[in-house]
Amino acid sequence: MKELISKVGGRVIPENCGSKEEYLMYLRHLFAYAFAKETIPQDSFVLEVGCGEGYGTSLLSQHVGKIIGLDVDKNTITHASKKYCSENCIFEVYDGVRIPYNDNTFDAVISFQVIEHLQNTINYISEIYRVLKRDGFFILTTPNRTYRLKP
């Protein structure tokens, strides 16, 4: 069911940053959302694939028309829904294989610090392309393996 995911890690919870490294990871995540906020038009319908804890999805919801955060972890989505859900910000579990929306649905898709956890990146990109409107855009981030990821 979660065939794309090799491991689920790197979940950042702002109030639980216990070390300098965790806080720096949090700031890197915030930078990606700040870039998305400046790049995505205010009335956009946005999808976040791999929303994690939900704080970034919530931050971006204050700028866009509507945003949906997807994640493969049910507990993470339950937490995000309780803490951050609003009229224009919702969270849903998905199977990590097929994004549960029709073709050409979203103005923008974002996915931060996700691709490095996947086994099947071709399906991941294909699914994002499928649900993205033809004039939409995709913002993706991934850590620099040589500086940050352990073997």
Side-chain angles (χ1 to χ4, degrees), residues 18-39:
S19 69
K20 178 181 168 184
E21 290 78 20
E22 289 172 338
Y23 184 67
L24 288 173
M25 183 185 300
Y26 169 64
L27 291 178
R28 277 193 291 272
H29 284 212
L30 282 181
F31 180 82
Y33 289 102
F35 176 81
K37 179 182 173 189
E38 296 302 316
T39 305

Side-chain angles (χ1 to χ4, degrees), residues 1-8 72 94-98 117-124 127:
M1 185 165 171
K2 294 176 183 148
E3 68 185 34
L4 294 180
I5 305 299
S6 59
K7 64 177 183 164
V8 177
V72 297
Y94 90 117
D95 65 8
V97 177
R98 179 159 169 59
H117 299 284
L118 306 179
Q119 293 173 354
N120 187 344
T121 57
I122 300 295
N123 185 69
Y124 165 77
E127 276 296 290

Side-chain angles (χ1 to χ4, degrees), residues 4-148:
L4 294 180
I5 305 299
S6 59
K7 64 177 183 164
V8 177
R11 303 253 184 228
V12 175
I13 301 174
E15 60 269 15
N16 291 349
C17 290
S19 69
K20 178 181 168 184
E21 290 78 20
E22 289 172 338
Y23 184 67
L24 288 173
M25 183 185 300
Y26 169 64
L27 291 178
R28 277 193 291 272
H29 284 212
L30 282 181
F31 180 82
Y33 289 102
F35 176 81
K37 179 182 173 189
E38 296 302 316
T39 305
I40 299 170
Q42 288 189 342
D43 61 345
S44 296
F45 186 23
V46 180
L47 178 68
E48 180 171 17
V49 179
C51 65
E53 200 263 348
Y55 68 89
T57 316
S58 177
L59 285 171
L60 200 50
S61 75
Q62 298 166 26
H63 176 75
V64 300
K66 183 175 182 177
I67 188 166
I68 298 171
L70 295 181
D71 206 284
V72 297
D73 187 79
K74 183 179 180 181
N75 292 333
T76 297
I77 291 299
T78 299
H79 167 80
S81 295
K82 287 179 183 175
K83 190 169 182 178
Y84 300 111
C85 197
S86 68
E87 187 175 310
N88 73 326
C89 179
I90 63 170
F91 299 90
E92 297 177 355
V93 177
Y94 90 117
D95 65 8
V97 177
R98 179 159 169 59
I99 295 174
Y101 289 95
N102 294 329
D103 297 1
N104 307 310
T105 299
F106 296 95
D107 300 306
V109 177
I110 62 172
S111 190
F112 302 147
Q113 310 289 334
V114 173
I115 197 168
E116 68 274 12
H117 299 284
L118 306 179
Q119 293 173 354
N120 187 344
T121 57
I122 300 295
N123 185 69
Y124 165 77
I125 298 295
S126 295
E127 276 296 290
I128 289 168
Y129 179 77
R130 181 184 63 76
V131 299
L132 192 59
K133 289 180 181 176
R134 296 300 168 232
D135 61 346
F137 53 94
F138 175 38
I139 304 172
L140 168 120
T141 64
T142 188
N144 183 325
R145 181 179 299 234
T146 59
Y147 292 111
R148 200 180 145 297

